[in-house]
Amino acid sequence: MMAPEEPTDAPTTTQPATATGGDIGPNVNYIISIPGILKIVEVVIGIICLGCVGSFMSTYGLLVVSGPYSWYLFVVSVCFIVTLAFLILFFLNIHSKLQAVPWGLVELIYGFGATLLYFIAACVLAAYTGNAGTLIAGTVFAFFNTIAYGVGTFFSFRDWRAGAVPGAA
C-alpha cells in the first residue's frame, strides 16, 4: 500500500490565468534582436536627419520655412517620435499588457507608411538641396533611414506572417 501524501506547510503559488501578459520591465533580448537594433538605428538616423535640415533652417531663418523643408521635418519628426515610442513600448514590455492591440499588424502598417513617407520626403528634399551641404547630408541620411525602415518592415512582415508578437525576442 502507498502512504497518503503528507500536506506541506510550504505555500504554493499559482499564476492566475489572466490576459495581462508578462511583467513590465526591461527586455534586453529585444534590444539585441534585429528589430530592436533596427529601431535604434532608425532613431539615431532620425536625430541626424533632424539636425541636418533643422540647422539649415535655423541658419537662414524664416526665409526657408516653406513646403519642402517643412514637409521633410514633419515626416522625420513624426517618424522619430512614433519609432521612439515603439522602442520604449517593446523594450519595457508594455505591449504585453495591451494584448487587445494586434501589435504585429500595427508595426507592419506603421513600418510601411514610414518607409513610404521617408522615401517621398527624401526625394522632395533632394529636389530642393541646391549646393547646401546640410541639405545634401539630410537627403543622404533620409535615404539611409528609408532603407532601415524598409528592412524593419520586411522583418515585421515576416514576424506577422509567422504570428510572432513583436518584442517577444
Side-chain angles (χ1 to χ4, degrees), residues 15 18-28 85 87-99 103 167:
Q15 296 289 340
T18 60
T20 58
D23 291 332
I24 294 179
N27 182 1
V28 178
L87 180 64
I88 292 169
L89 195 76
F90 294 136
F91 173 64
L92 294 178
N93 257 347
I94 297 170
H95 72 287
S96 66
K97 295 291 183 185
L98 305 170
Q99 292 183 349
W103 289 111

Side-chain angles (χ1 to χ4, degrees), residues 43-91:
V43 167
V44 169
I45 294 176
I47 291 171
I48 294 170
C49 289
L50 286 169
C52 289
V53 177
S55 68
F56 175 79
M57 289 181 69
S58 67
T59 301
Y60 294 100
L62 295 176
L63 297 175
V64 295
V65 179
S66 63
Y69 309 114
S70 296
W71 166 251
Y72 175 88
L73 285 177
F74 170 75
V75 169
V76 172
S77 299
V78 168
C79 289
F80 171 77
I81 291 168
V82 174
T83 303
L84 186 62
F86 271 128
L87 180 64
I88 292 169
L89 195 76
F90 294 136
F91 173 64

Side-chain angles (χ1 to χ4, degrees), residues 77-159:
S77 299
V78 168
C79 289
F80 171 77
I81 291 168
V82 174
T83 303
L84 186 62
F86 271 128
L87 180 64
I88 292 169
L89 195 76
F90 294 136
F91 173 64
L92 294 178
N93 257 347
I94 297 170
H95 72 287
S96 66
K97 295 291 183 185
L98 305 170
Q99 292 183 349
V101 179
W103 289 111
L105 184 61
V106 169
E107 190 175 25
L108 175 62
I109 291 170
Y110 167 69
F112 180 76
T115 304
L116 182 66
L117 289 175
Y118 243 106
F119 180 73
I120 293 169
C123 290
V124 167
L125 188 63
Y128 289 92
T129 56
N131 290 330
T134 57
L135 294 183
I136 294 170
T139 301
V140 170
F141 280 110
F143 280 117
F144 286 158
N145 225 5
T146 300
I147 294 168
Y149 275 102
V151 172
T153 302
F154 167 75
F155 282 107
S156 294
F157 176 73
R158 194 179 72 173
D159 290 346

